[in-house]
Amino acid sequence: MESSWLRALVVLALVVVAGAIFTRKLLLVYRLIRLGAGPVPLAPPGERLRDLVAQVLGHRKVLRRPLAGVLHLFIFWGFLVLLTTIIQAMGEAFSPGWTLPVIGQPPLLAALQDLFIALVLIGVGMALWMRLVSRPRRLEGQDRRGAYLILGFIGGIMITLLLSRAGQIVLESPAWAPGAALSGFVAGAIAGAPRAVVRGVFEVAWWGHLLIILIFLTWIPEGKHLHLITLVPNILLKKARPRGALAPIDIEQAEHLGISSIEHSTWKDMLDAFACMECGRCVEVCPANATGKELDPRRLHTDLRTHLTRVGSARLAGGEAADAPALVGGVFSEAFLWQCLTCGACVEECPAANDHIDKIVGMRRHLVMEEARVPDTMGDALRSLEARGHPFRGAGLSRTAWTAGVEVKTLADGGRAEWLLWVGCASALNERNHGSLRALVRVLQRAGVEAAILGDEEACTGDPARRMGNEYLFQQLAQQNIETLNRYGVRKILTACPHCYNTFKNEYPQFGGQYEVWHHTQLLARLVEERRLAPSEAVPLTVTFHDPCYLGRHNGEYDAPRRVLAAIPGVRTVEMAQCRERGFCCGAGGGLYWVEDRVGQRINHVRTDHATATGAQVVATACPFCMLMLEDGVAAREAKIRPMDVAELLGRSLAGGSAERSGG
Amino acid sequence: MDIIVCLKQVVDPELPARDFAIDPATRRQVREGRPLVLSTYDENALEVALQMKDHQGAKVTALTIAPQATVGDTVRLALAMGADEAVVIDDPRSPELSGPARARMLAAVIRKIGRYDLVLTGCESADLVERLIAPLLAEELGAACVTFVARIDAADGPLVVRRQADEGYHVVEARLPAVLSVTSDEANRPRLPKVKDIVTAKRKPVQIWTPGDLGSMADDGGVEVRDVAIPQRTGKCEFLTGDPAQQAEALALRLRELKLL
Amino acid sequence: MPGILVVAATAEGALSRSSLELVGGARALDASLGSGVSAALLGHGLGSTGAAEALHQHGVATVYRVDHPALTAGQSDAYLAAAEQVARTAKPDVVLVGADTVGREVAPRLAHRLAGALVTECTELAVEGGAVVVRRQAYGGRALATLVVRGRPAVLSVKPRSLDAPEPAPVAGSVVDVDAQIDPNALPTRVREVLREKSEVGLEDAQVVVSGGRGLGGPDGFKMIEELAAMLGGAVGSSRPPADAGWVPISWQIGQTGKTVRPALYVAVGISGATQHVAGMAGSRTIVAINRDPEAPIFGVAHLGLVGDYREIIPPLIARIKELKAR
């Protein structure tokens, strides 16, 4: 191949200019991120590396959407492989005949390169198909022009590459040519043209290729393609916290409570914002968004990014962006913030490993603790929590009302047992859940498991307060409960409420409360498998299981309840389309049990429809909140399906009848 | 403007029926182990005072009579909501005080505080529902009195308030000083305290006085509580039978018997 | 002349039903005490209304009449001054005041001025062993207190509608005109205006609440509910489905995510009784449920249950209540 000092000089100049623009933009991003607060404790390195391999190289989450996943996999791996062609081209520009060190330029590499040129082009085609024909909902609201431009860049890079390779084959017959089938095919098509024309095609393609790459490079640090750079650090800098846990704040010391301005966010929040690729997977799985509400989890990151860039740039320049809207109430409306169920569907789905819940709860913390602005009925729940230790204003029941007809001791009465059965307000103070509790106690007694309760000494774990943003009240309740538990020397906690489960397991350790915590379905599964329970009576029902978010996504327990159901003779299980990781919240999470769901469709009605669509007779669940929401949904839809707790179903199948009529 | 808000601490009116009990010795509700809250309408009264403070400036003093050992949360809540200071009359016998005795004691404290333009309180306490504190305070203090005030229409010139009445509202003009009892209204829904204010409330001044500081308080008032009975609920719903007209007839008569007509 | 004095405050000069109820209560006490019943008839333009005659007709011998232009609707200070003047003239042992808008302000202040004993919001009056014994609700209706009133004069305010209006028992009576010497300019409060709005009495404060649910079938059903509520002097509420469906304003919703009410009487019509709703009304003193489904959970919290179609039950109920109230 021909070369000259002029070519080298032009290439060098272009690379330097593009590189400078790129670096300058990237540096701004870096400085913006550094505006965030720290430190952020990080997960163990092994875990972070594992995630990197699975999510980046393996595309684990991306591949959950087959079309988009495969096309992205093609493009991603295509770029990794074709990086070799770029390096090769650059090298040749400066030193003719240069080849990659060690590897050289064997036909096998050329074959691989050609394969990926084809795959990337197929990927671009699939992407166009998706945007023009199949049009999934999640892509609405994405920056369309940006997306087409990017696809144009990628397609352009591939076509120019292909043409320059074809030209090179025709002009120089390089040693690698036999491997490059696709390039060879194109070369065959142009080989008949005059040499000068081929030369022209080659030059245009070669320079075009270089220019598009460099323009693309300068574009990367703006918009969604920044994830090419930010995604790897975002995954490598994963927070050291279980999914279900929120970070505590030191109320006495903190200068601000929650997030009302960019500098209150952590640098990780900001990195998240820059790592968002706007794929909209979060939008697609968000139950609030799916039912027509304002909440849009993608906007949480994209709008944060825009706001951060605007306000942060001004601040870096030593000023203030005077006309920028307020973060809370401006960039994000209060309605937007109060519609989040903290169900974690977006977090589970996000290929960039972003955390939405922290940011929303952070802004709620500001609203509740600094502004005392909270939806009225949530405020009532908070007041009730404060005054009487439970959020169920108007509940005329005592915490032990459910024990009528079963034998349960309280620790105060000298009850000593292996397990503390933590009842939880949602179970104790709502009659519908009393049957589930009694079924559970009877089943445990059949298995010879001893469990005692705290009775009136129980107070709410604080989960609703924490998710509503009242960290102060949460910490008070946590301290009070830890004191009570430690006074009785409690070590093993069993609970039928996934919210209590999550709080004990993932959040109380933040305050020194270390317990062995089991959800009732986990213990029931164990008892069945150890044959301490022998479900023998047939329960001839078709059952679909509704995954409680705080058992499933937040704690990864999808199997225990299903193992219990599978052990019940006669039960035939069917799954809803939205199950396990894709489970659809009942509508009660995030403290939203206490506000009326009046925008768009009701989440619990939609969830009831999912269950009804399976044709099941029973929708089983394992959470007292889900139970109340499903009962409500079934009543509203006048559906035939019946919500039951897993323990109630198991109780029915134990010979000798541990069952009672309940619910309905 | 100086505003004094009289607050009463009561046993949670939402207490489950099982926990509601009368102490045969005092003939008062058993308080031990029960959650104590601010009496419902007192929070509305406090909110009205705080809104006046927000809009035109006022010094708001929260005043309560309660055993000091149990009073903490109530007074702290008032301070956290925005009251400037608090005065607590530490009286272990206070839960047993009769309404008139309580009013006399409050009046003695208010006279001792000295500076006030307005005294606010809830229109009734959530426990005894006597509705007499504001009128008695007005007499004791020689102040104007309006009860069941839903909202304050004007306070910059003469005080104009809206009193809830059987037939609608009375727009009442009152001289200062005045004692107002406040009922709930859309406009006086009690605010939630901000956490920052909860924290700073811990540093706000709370004066603790004993009844002895107030001179003698002759009690009784010539009324003796003979008995406080809890009507037993039979538990089951009683179904009225017959055709619709007969059921309607039976229901009308039952409502009359229950003095609900 | 010691005895029982009924404070009959009139707004437009005519005797009110609640004043008659007080007369009924006074006569019942008098049957044991035997000290005579007199009345303080307070108002303006009383000469032409026949109010004094009506009192004589119902067994009140002596009527102390204060006729003054300041005695108009809501002028508590004027009524207080007039009542005080009469009480100082009549020197009664027992004074009965209706616990209405004015009476709630007058009774405690009158007791204070007369240095008497005071019990407010009585629902029953009796004489036991020569002593005046009264009953009143306490603790939001959860308990009934019985009090012995020894102090004299005993000023008792009586909750409207808790005593029966008496049968006529005509006596030959006299009218004593009392000059109350009220200086309207010296009164510390003045009613500028009476706003006769359709009572916006907050749902949360209403003593009677009639609520409708999905079972009403549509917004039209609420017309019947509103009529019944008006007849009972109460407010209208709803469970969630009507509020959702837009049949009624959202502000009417009672329940966990709506308002909480604890009235003396709660009538649930066509409401199934979901936990959501029950949380907002379970504290009501008397709960009446009307529902077609005998298995509806609302009957689990109701005291009185009527199984049937509300369209067939409510019209005769309204008619019957009207009759009973007219008596």
Side-chain angles (χ1 to χ4, degrees):
Chain A
M1 160 152 189
E2 226 179 293
S3 179
S4 69
W5 61 270
L6 186 67
R7 178 186 291 260
L9 205 65
V10 173
V11 169
L12 184 67
L14 287 175
V15 170
V16 167
V17 169
I21 295 173
F22 172 77
T23 311
R24 191 162 166 273
K25 285 184 177 175
L26 200 61
L27 212 58
L28 173 67
V29 170
Y30 175 75
R31 291 170 69 207
L32 287 173
I33 291 170
R34 288 293 302 266
L35 285 175
V40 178
L42 301 183
E47 186 184 330
R48 292 187 269 147
L49 273 175
R50 238 189 354 262
D51 279 10
L52 185 72
V53 171
Q55 303 305 353
V56 178
L57 302 182
H59 270 48
R60 209 183 64 201
K61 286 187 179 176
V62 183
L63 281 169
R64 284 186 189 167
R65 310 272 149 183
L67 177 68
V70 167
L71 83 84
H72 191 274
L73 193 72
F74 286 172
I75 295 175
F76 168 77
W77 275 103
F79 265 81
L80 282 194
V81 169
L82 296 175
L83 213 53
T84 55
T85 67
I86 295 173
I87 297 168
Q88 173 70 39
M90 295 286 171
E92 285 176 10
F94 295 103
S95 160
W98 183 88
T99 59
L100 290 170
V102 187
I103 311 170
Q105 186 75 317
L108 193 63
L109 179 64
L112 196 66
Q113 289 166 340
D114 260 30
L115 173 66
F116 274 97
I117 292 172
L119 289 178
V120 171
L121 282 170
I122 291 171
V124 170
M126 287 163 80
L128 285 172
W129 168 271
M130 200 168 71
R131 284 195 160 71
L132 294 169
V133 184
S134 73
R135 294 185 162 194
R137 197 176 69 85
R138 64 187 177 87
L139 292 178
E140 290 165 18
Q142 204 190 38
D143 170 16
R144 289 172 74 90
R145 273 184 49 206
Y148 286 126
L149 203 66
I150 296 292
L151 287 175
F153 279 143
I154 297 174
I157 292 170
M158 288 307 118
I159 289 166
T160 51
L161 177 63
L162 197 58
L163 286 173
S164 70
R165 281 160 77 88
Q168 203 178 353
I169 290 173
V170 173
L171 298 171
E172 300 171 10
S173 309
W176 49 265
L182 184 62
S183 304
F185 176 76
V186 177
I190 58 170
R195 204 170 164 81
V197 173
V198 175
R199 167 113 250 148
V201 167
F202 168 78
E203 287 296 338
V204 168
W206 195 92
W207 285 104
H209 184 64
L210 183 74
L211 276 174
I212 298 175
I213 287 176
L214 293 179
I215 294 172
F216 189 31
L217 186 71
T218 65
W219 255 65
I220 286 177
E222 291 177 24
K224 70 185 191 113
H225 267 69
L226 187 55
H227 79 269
L228 295 182
I229 315 282
T230 45
L231 196 105
V232 168
N234 203 39
I235 290 176
L236 275 179
L237 296 169
K238 180 180 167 180
K239 283 180 279 196
R241 238 187 302 136
R243 168 80 61 81
L246 290 166
I249 37 181
D250 184 340
I251 305 278
E252 303 285 332
Q253 301 298 319
E255 281 165 22
H256 57 88
L257 302 171
I259 301 170
S260 60
S261 175
I262 54 161
E263 71 273 14
H264 303 156
S265 300
T266 64
W267 57 259
K268 179 66 170 71
D269 290 336
M270 308 208 177
L271 182 55
D272 276 3
F274 286 113
C276 174
M277 59 201 72
E278 302 179 30
C279 67
R281 285 169 169 78
C282 51
V283 180
E284 202 163 57
V285 296
C286 173
N289 191 281
T291 52
K293 296 170 192 31
E294 190 183 333
L295 178 63
D296 178 330
R298 170 174 49 203
R299 263 191 54 210
L300 185 68
H301 286 110
T302 56
D303 287 4
L304 182 65
R305 180 168 70 207
T306 309
H307 180 72
L308 191 58
T309 308
R310 184 164 165 197
V311 175
S313 305
R315 204 162 294 177
L316 287 172
E320 281 296 324
D323 54 343
L327 182 62
V328 178
V331 178
F332 302 111
S333 74
E334 289 182 27
F336 180 103
L337 297 172
W338 289 119
Q339 283 167 351
C340 175
L341 300 146
T342 71
C343 73
C346 51
V347 182
E348 171 69 35
E349 205 69 14
C350 182
N354 281 352
D355 188 338
H356 307 63
I357 299 175
D358 273 4
K359 299 178 187 74
I360 286 184
V361 173
M363 289 186 267
R364 286 182 180 183
R365 283 173 171 174
H366 161 71
L367 280 173
V368 174
M369 293 194 288
E370 294 187 327
E371 299 290 320
R373 291 180 60 81
V374 48
D376 283 347
T377 47
M378 265 193 186
D380 290 340
L382 288 172
R383 275 172 180 273
S384 181
L385 263 175
E386 204 148 345
R388 39 188 95 93
H390 70 71
F392 292 93
R393 183 193 57 154
L397 295 164
S398 70
R399 285 195 182 268
T400 50
W402 65 274
T403 59
V406 288
E407 187 101 354
V408 204
K409 282 214 174 98
T410 60
L411 290 182
D413 293 341
R416 280 280 163 270
E418 181 190 359
W419 294 91
L420 170 73
L421 173 59
W422 181 274
V423 180
C425 319
S427 294
L429 302 176
N430 290 285
E431 254 174 315
R432 165 58 188 97
N433 292 314
H434 290 185
S436 319
L437 286 170
R438 286 194 289 263
L440 173 62
V441 167
R442 290 203 178 99
V443 168
L444 292 177
Q445 286 170 348
R446 283 290 290 271
V449 173
E450 291 190 332
I453 59 173
L454 276 172
D456 291 335
E457 285 184 275
E458 215 183 270
C460 173
T461 56
D463 162 80
R466 194 170 224 199
R467 263 110 208 126
M468 288 180 200
N470 197 334
E471 179 70 10
Y472 177 75
L473 183 54
F474 165 72
Q475 290 188 11
Q476 277 185 328
L477 289 163
Q479 271 148 16
Q480 178 189 336
N481 280 322
I482 289 171
E483 224 170 86
T484 309
L485 293 168
N486 292 355
R487 185 153 40 85
Y488 286 111
V490 170
R491 286 178 38 247
K492 290 170 77 172
I493 297 176
L494 174 67
T495 182
C497 175
H499 295 264
C500 299
Y501 172 80
N502 178 64
T503 310
F504 281 129
K505 192 172 161 129
N506 297 327
E507 298 191 323
Y508 276 22
Q510 296 168 350
F511 307 94
Q514 302 278 359
Y515 312 98
E516 186 183 333
V517 192
W518 287 54
H519 185 254
H520 74 303
T521 55
Q522 295 173 324
L523 183 62
L524 296 181
R526 164 79 69 95
L527 293 173
V528 168
E529 279 149 15
E530 288 178 350
R531 304 196 180 282
R532 290 170 69 185
L533 285 172
S536 56
E537 310 255 309
V539 183
L541 291 171
T542 309
V543 178
T544 187
F545 183 72
H546 162 80
D547 286 281
C549 308
Y550 276 82
L551 184 63
R553 271 189 300 266
H554 285 292
N555 285 288
E557 185 57 88
Y558 302 104
D559 292 328
R562 289 180 170 81
R563 285 182 355 238
V564 177
L565 292 176
I568 302 174
V571 164
R572 195 175 74 85
T573 53
V574 288
E575 292 286 4
M576 293 180 253
Q578 299 87 344
C579 65
R580 302 179 69 96
E581 288 86 351
R582 288 267 171 85
F584 191 91
C585 180
C586 68
L592 297 199
Y593 179 81
W594 290 276
V595 281
E596 206 55 83
D597 177 4
R598 291 207 198 271
V599 183
Q601 287 177 284
R602 277 178 186 275
I603 292 168
N604 65 329
H605 294 184
V606 171
R607 188 51 170 167
T608 305
D609 296 343
H610 293 166
T612 314
T614 62
Q617 293 151 291
V618 167
V619 50
T621 190
C623 169
F625 284 99
C626 296
M627 180 61 79
L628 295 170
M629 297 307 279
L630 289 170
E631 286 281 7
D632 186 80
V634 166
R637 288 291 205 238
E638 292 173 356
K640 295 265 186 298
I641 200 164
R642 187 167 163 208
M644 284 181 83
D645 190 90
V646 170
E648 291 179 297
L649 282 163
L650 179 62
R652 282 203 182 183
S653 74
L654 296 174
S658 302
E660 69 175 294
R661 271 185 58 89
S662 55
Chain B
M1 183 173 287
D2 288 280
I3 306 177
I4 296 175
V5 188
C6 304
L7 304 170
K8 187 179 188 185
Q9 191 181 38
V10 297
V11 177
D12 182 5
E14 287 188 13
L15 203 65
R18 187 202 65 172
D19 297 334
F20 178 78
I22 302 293
D23 180 346
T26 61
R27 297 183 192 87
R28 296 287 172 145
Q29 183 177 9
V30 176
R31 292 163 71 91
E32 285 68 38
R34 274 67 167 177
L36 299 171
V37 298
L38 265 183
S39 183
T40 324
Y41 294 103
D42 293 355
E43 288 195 45
N44 300 99
L46 181 58
E47 177 63 34
V48 167
L50 296 173
Q51 286 179 10
M52 293 183 76
K53 177 181 167 179
D54 292 346
H55 296 143
Q56 68 222 40
K59 182 184 165 204
V60 177
T61 303
L63 167 60
T64 189
I65 306 176
Q68 203 207 328
T70 64
V71 82
D73 292 349
T74 326
V75 166
R76 291 293 161 204
L77 175 61
L79 291 172
M81 283 170 73
D84 298 287
E85 56 182 65
V87 177
V88 176
I89 313 305
D90 174 21
D91 183 357
R93 281 184 333 127
S94 70
E96 293 152 43
L97 281 180
S98 72
R102 184 176 285 274
R104 270 197 302 282
M105 193 181 278
L106 287 170
V109 188
I110 292 168
R111 276 192 293 267
K112 190 169 166 180
I113 294 172
R115 283 166 55 91
Y116 61 91
D117 302 293
L118 268 185
V119 177
L120 302 184
T121 186
C123 58
E124 62 189 41
S125 66
D127 50 3
L128 296 181
V129 201
E130 291 180 304
R131 305 171 165 178
L132 48 66
I133 294 290
L136 288 179
L137 270 181
E139 285 301 302
E140 289 277 344
L141 300 171
C145 170
V146 188
T147 59
F148 285 80
V149 171
R151 59 188 91 148
I152 292 184
D153 284 341
D156 28 10
L159 181 70
V160 181
V161 302
R162 194 168 289 212
R163 174 173 63 193
Q164 201 179 75
D166 303 329
E167 64 267 48
Y169 291 103
H170 294 162
V171 179
V172 183
E173 187 181 317
R175 283 187 200 153
L176 296 180
V179 182
L180 310 179
S181 87
V182 175
T183 187
S184 70
D185 185 77
E186 297 279 303
N188 64 25
R189 192 184 170 89
R191 63 190 67 189
L192 277 175
K194 299 173 184 174
V195 166
K196 169 174 64 69
D197 295 335
I198 295 175
V199 176
T200 53
K202 290 176 184 160
R203 293 194 290 273
K204 282 187 180 173
V206 178
Q207 299 181 48
I208 296 173
W209 298 347
T210 61
D213 296 339
L214 305 169
S216 108
M217 279 305 133
D219 200 1
D220 180 70
V223 179
E224 175 204 332
V225 182
R226 193 166 76 186
D227 175 48
V228 179
I230 305 174
Q232 288 306 309
R233 218 204 125 167
T234 46
K236 279 239 162 21
C237 175
E238 181 191 337
F239 284 97
L240 303 178
T241 52
D243 65 35
Q246 288 168 327
Q247 289 187 40
E249 164 80 19
L251 177 58
L253 292 174
R254 289 298 292 274
L255 294 181
R256 187 182 168 78
E257 267 171 49
L258 291 164
K259 309 219 156 118
L260 292 167
L261 291 188
Chain C
M1 189 181 81
I4 304 161
L5 178 70
V6 169
V7 176
T10 71
E12 267 100 31
L15 205 59
S16 68
R17 184 198 143 99
S18 71
S19 295
L20 275 180
E21 289 170 5
L22 296 180
V23 170
R27 273 168 49 187
L29 290 179
D30 184 53
S32 303
L33 295 174
S35 50
V37 176
S38 57
L41 180 62
L42 318 176
H44 185 49
L46 292 169
S48 58
T49 59
E53 289 71 29
L55 287 167
H56 294 320
Q57 281 296 311
H58 286 89
V60 179
T62 314
V63 174
Y64 297 93
R65 184 167 63 192
V66 183
D67 196 316
H68 193 284
L71 294 170
T72 53
Q75 288 293 357
S76 307
D77 289 321
Y79 285 102
L80 172 63
E84 182 186 355
Q85 194 65 44
V86 172
R88 292 201 187 280
T89 309
K91 300 190 169 39
D93 282 332
V94 178
V95 181
L96 301 185
V97 183
D100 52 18
T101 307
V102 166
R104 285 191 302 234
E105 290 178 7
V106 167
R109 300 169 72 189
L110 186 60
H112 189 271
R113 291 184 180 191
L114 300 175
L118 170 68
V119 183
T120 57
E121 310 284 331
C122 301
T123 54
E124 286 176 52
L125 311 173
V127 176
E128 292 175 19
V132 175
V133 174
V134 301
R135 292 202 169 76
R136 65 186 305 284
Q137 304 279 351
Y139 304 108
R142 282 182 165 186
L144 188 64
T146 306
L147 305 109
V148 182
V149 191
R150 299 196 197 286
R152 292 294 178 267
V155 179
L156 310 174
S157 81
V158 180
K159 228 177 153 66
R161 311 268 175 228
S162 51
L163 302 179
D164 293 331
E167 298 297 322
V171 289
S174 58
V175 175
V176 181
D177 278 304
V178 177
D179 179 7
Q181 293 174 340
I182 303 165
D183 174 5
N185 297 319
L187 298 177
T189 66
R190 187 172 66 83
V191 176
R192 277 189 182 178
E193 201 183 343
V194 176
L195 302 176
R196 276 175 214 283
E197 296 178 9
K198 185 169 175 189
S199 167
E200 222 183 284
V201 175
L203 196 50
E204 282 137 315
D205 301 324
Q207 278 308 294
V208 174
V209 174
V210 185
S211 262
R214 190 200 307 276
L216 294 189
D220 289 347
F222 271 89
K223 290 195 184 123
M224 216 179 262
I225 298 293
E226 284 178 60
E227 203 184 327
L228 178 59
M231 188 53 68
L232 292 166
V236 183
S238 93
S239 63
R240 198 170 61 191
D244 277 354
W247 301 349
V248 299
I250 286 169
S251 60
W252 290 14
Q253 184 184 325
I254 292 167
Q256 190 81 56
T257 50
K259 296 206 158 77
T260 304
V261 300
R262 14 180 56 241
L265 173 64
Y266 189 88
V267 185
V269 186
I271 291 176
S272 67
T275 326
Q276 217 299 336
H277 179 69
V278 169
M281 48 66 80
S284 309
R285 204 153 78 233
T286 299
I287 298 170
V288 176
I290 302 175
N291 202 302
R292 265 211 297 232
D293 173 12
E295 299 288 317
I298 190 72
F299 291 119
V301 293
H303 303 86
L304 292 171
L306 289 79
V307 179
D309 186 342
Y310 78 96
R311 290 181 202 84
E312 292 171 15
I313 293 175
I314 292 185
L317 180 63
I318 291 174
R320 190 74 182 104
I321 291 172
K322 202 175 205 167
E323 263 174 60
L324 290 173
K325 281 179 73 173
R327 267 206 216 149

